[in-house]
Amino acid sequence: MSELIPVLTETEIEQHIHQLAQRISDDYRNKNLMMIGVLKGAFVFLSDLMRRLTIPVEVEFVRLSSYGKSHTSSGKIEIPKDLCLDVKDKHVLIVEDIVDTGVTLSTLAAHIASLNPKSVKICALIDKLERRKTDCQVDYACHTVEGGFLVGYGLDYAEKYRNLPAIYHLKL
Ligand code: 5GP
Ligand code: MG
């Protein structure tokens, strides 16, 4: 039987997001901010985060695939849904659910950088340190963990658990 061990409660997530939104609002005041959410995992986080900002923001989504139905990365990143909005003259903040090896985000950040935005930074709900393989820098993170497979608040395991309002460590 799989087990769900609490990592962050709803209230803790809310508090972290509130603080993060204040930092981002300060850092991007008077700049053209575009948040690019990575589907599907980041949609819950992004929708809460953007509503806490006190500055204008444009929102875009990309869809990437590296995990499929497994819980170990295949290491090969594809972009089944690319950007539609133009990032030229925009300060891009990539919003991701969780950074693990960093392969997904390094690939995406390089792709976005090639489209000539003013800047590219990374914001993650969870920064997971144990298996980092790239020097991909997470500029804003709500929470840092060493390892473990997390689910809830947008994070899935084989498409399940995204709807949980809190974040859990899934022990299979
Ligand atoms: P990376 O390329 O950094 O190794 O993997 C990043 C992607 O793998 C994340 O966007 C996420 O979709 C998935 N992933 C990595 N760790 C976890 C985890 O603990 N839980 C879930 N649900 N997905 C994860
Ligand atoms: Mg993801």
Side-chain angles (χ1 to χ4, degrees), residues 20-87:
L20 199 61
Q22 277 182 342
R23 265 182 70 201
I24 294 171
S25 301
D26 287 344
D27 293 354
Y28 287 89
R29 200 164 302 284
N30 301 320
K31 290 183 175 167
N32 292 325
L33 173 62
M34 182 187 287
M35 282 182 158
I36 302 183
V38 183
L39 292 171
K40 300 179 204 171
F43 85 98
V44 179
F45 174 45
L46 176 55
S47 80
D48 281 346
L49 182 62
M50 63 186 257
R51 284 178 293 172
R52 292 277 190 183
L53 297 178
T54 56
I55 54 167
V57 62
E58 285 175 51
V59 177
E60 175 61 294
F61 288 98
V62 285
R63 178 94 196 260
L64 303 174
S65 52
S66 71
Y67 262 57
K69 287 200 166 75
S70 138
H71 64 281
T72 51
S73 181
S74 66
K76 192 167 157 272
I77 315 298
E78 283 163 16
I79 309 184
K81 185 212 170 293
D82 205 347
L83 303 174
C84 300
L85 296 181
D86 191 353
V87 300

Side-chain angles (χ1 to χ4, degrees), residues 10-25:
E10 260 186 277
T11 312
E12 286 166 336
I13 296 172
E14 236 176 76
Q15 288 164 349
H16 289 311
I17 289 183
H18 181 69
Q19 288 169 0
L20 199 61
Q22 277 182 342
R23 265 182 70 201
I24 294 171
S25 301

Side-chain angles (χ1 to χ4, degrees), residues 38-42 64 66-67 70-75 77 96-107 126 128 131-134 136 145 147-152 154-158 160-162 168-170:
V38 183
L39 292 171
K40 300 179 204 171
L64 303 174
S66 71
Y67 262 57
S70 138
H71 64 281
T72 51
S73 181
S74 66
I77 315 298
E96 174 63 306
D97 50 4
I98 183 163
V99 183
D100 184 12
T101 63
V103 172
T104 307
L105 274 189
S106 316
T107 311
I126 308 279
K128 189 161 76 173
R131 301 198 296 180
R132 193 65 43 87
K133 279 192 210 150
T134 63
C136 150
V145 294
F149 193 81
L150 307 189
V151 295
L155 291 159
D156 74 311
Y157 174 61
K160 301 272 171 26
Y161 303 110
R162 290 194 201 277
Y168 299 86
H169 178 178
L170 176 68

